[in-house]
């Protein structure tokens, strides 16, 4: 996380503790706060623990921040939404190598985007 207010850190710590004790409301609040702060590491931690909402927020944030590596990590894990976001970002930013990698892996959408980009 970048230079955020120490109260943000305190709030995250308190929510994290409640969430670890099974408080679903705290988990949702933690996801919301991490999203608001752009805290990809917190969202990644929650997503890796199996929280679908955190995964969705992480994908959206990674797309907004142009984080190909995070989207690649999630898409390589089989997340269809991450794959779609990765293709969209790679297309927008002309990352032909990424589109080629996905197309070589059998992704028809990436292959179509690559064909369009290389034909231009």
């Amino acid at each position: 996380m970048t230079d955020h207010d120490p109260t943000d850190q305190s709030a995250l710590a308190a929510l994290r503790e409640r969430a670890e004790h099974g408080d679903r409301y705290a988990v949702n609040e933690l996801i919301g706060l991490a999203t608001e702060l752009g805290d990809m590491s917190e969202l990644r931690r929650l997503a890796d623990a199996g929280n679908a909402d955190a995964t969705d927020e992480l994908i959206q944030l990674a797309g907004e921040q142009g984080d190909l590596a995070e989207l690649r990590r999630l898409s390589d894990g089989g997340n269809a939404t991450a794959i779609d976001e990765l293709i969209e970002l790679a297309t927008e930013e002309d990352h032909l190598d990424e589109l080629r990698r996905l197309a070589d892996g059998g992704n028809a959408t990436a292959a179509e985007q690559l064909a369009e980009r290389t034909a231009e």
Side-chain angles (χ1 to χ4, degrees), residues 39-55:
D39 187 346
M40 290 190 56
S41 62
E42 186 67 33
L43 288 171
R44 187 179 305 112
R45 186 184 73 75
L46 293 164
D48 290 349
N51 187 294
D53 292 335
T55 302

Side-chain angles (χ1 to χ4, degrees), residues 18-36:
R18 288 178 36 217
E20 288 171 3
H21 287 92
D23 183 339
R24 291 179 193 217
Y25 177 77
V27 172
N28 290 335
E29 288 296 308
L30 185 57
I31 292 168
L33 184 58
T35 301
E36 180 182 315

Side-chain angles (χ1 to χ4, degrees), residues 56-94:
D56 291 344
E57 292 295 340
L58 180 60
I59 291 167
Q60 183 175 339
L61 188 59
E64 289 170 3
Q65 293 183 357
D67 191 335
L68 282 172
E70 185 63 33
L71 290 171
R72 187 180 305 119
R73 183 184 79 84
L74 293 164
S75 68
D76 288 351
N79 186 297
T81 305
I83 293 169
D84 292 344
E85 187 71 28
L86 180 58
I87 292 169
E88 184 178 324
L89 183 61
T91 301
E92 287 173 3
E93 297 188 359
D94 271 341

Side-chain angles (χ1 to χ4, degrees), residues 90 94-104 114:
D94 271 341
H95 287 284
L96 299 182
D97 289 342
E98 190 63 39
L99 289 172
R100 192 169 291 110
R101 184 184 77 84
L102 292 165
D104 289 348
L114 182 62

